[in-house]
Amino acid sequence: NWNMQAFELGYGDLLGLRLSTAQILFRAAVRMVSSHFGRRDERYVPLKTNIAKSAYFVSRYRNYEAEQQRPEFKNTEDRLLKSLNERSRGLRSFRSGEGALRDIVEYYIEESDSIYDIAVAITNLGDWYTMFDQRNPARDRYTQAWQLLSPLDNSEELIQQLFGQVAPIPTFGKAVNLEKASSYDPELEGLRSAYADVIFDVTANGSVRNLRISSEITEENSRLLSQLRRKVRNSSFRPLVVDGQPVISRGHQFRYRYWY
């Protein structure tokens, strides 16, 4: 968790090594928990979730492959792998996250009596495919989750919770209380913040379209709002699902906080 927090704060020269270290440690922890306590242990799903989270960060970190070629990166990674008796090195971001989320789906199918928990796990896997523009697998998972919920007595309420509004993804990134790893507060660094209201459409594939900022744009904030616009435009969202199918939806308004 410390390594994940260090990456998010930009602490250190080799940020990619933070992600690699976190992933190796999470994998070793999963292996030990599974071996000594079984998959029913309460730590199993959060650990798998964080494997997916670290893989997601790798997919968004442009310098990872370049850093991976540096000798100090490889040497540190090799020492850690050897100390934990781990054989696998390197992060294949898509496959690593997909595998972890598939394992979570399997866990809930085999261990949980809650149809809703199974549907959430399947939806998270669909979100993963959406983030990587795997449109058919994403649609299939959303449809599968919707079909699981539709026969239930309170299906309308549960479907509304899961698919009744678009949601920025990944949603699984908050599984662990990473804020406990640091007392970092941007305000303590002398930064100020402001808010901007952004309106946009979300396609059936989870992409942002027709984005516009409804907050006042001034000479002072125009550059920051341009950066925010690019960030939102490149974001992925879980689309609305109607009658089991993802659909385009329009006019969503979100409020974003930005620092300067």
Side-chain angles (χ1 to χ4, degrees), residues 110-135:
E110 294 181 359
E111 305 291 347
S112 176
D113 295 327
S114 170
I115 298 298
Y116 184 73
D117 286 346
I118 297 172
V120 169
I122 293 171
T123 300
N124 285 337
L125 180 57
D127 292 344
W128 186 261
Y129 291 130
T130 292
M131 289 187 295
F132 287 89
D133 201 28
Q134 302 285 317
R135 298 181 179 184

Side-chain angles (χ1 to χ4, degrees), residues 53 68 142 163 248 250 257 260:
K53 183 176 181 181
Q68 195 178 29
Y142 293 147
F163 297 120
I248 188 172
R250 306 183 188 280
R257 189 180 189 182
Y260 61 97

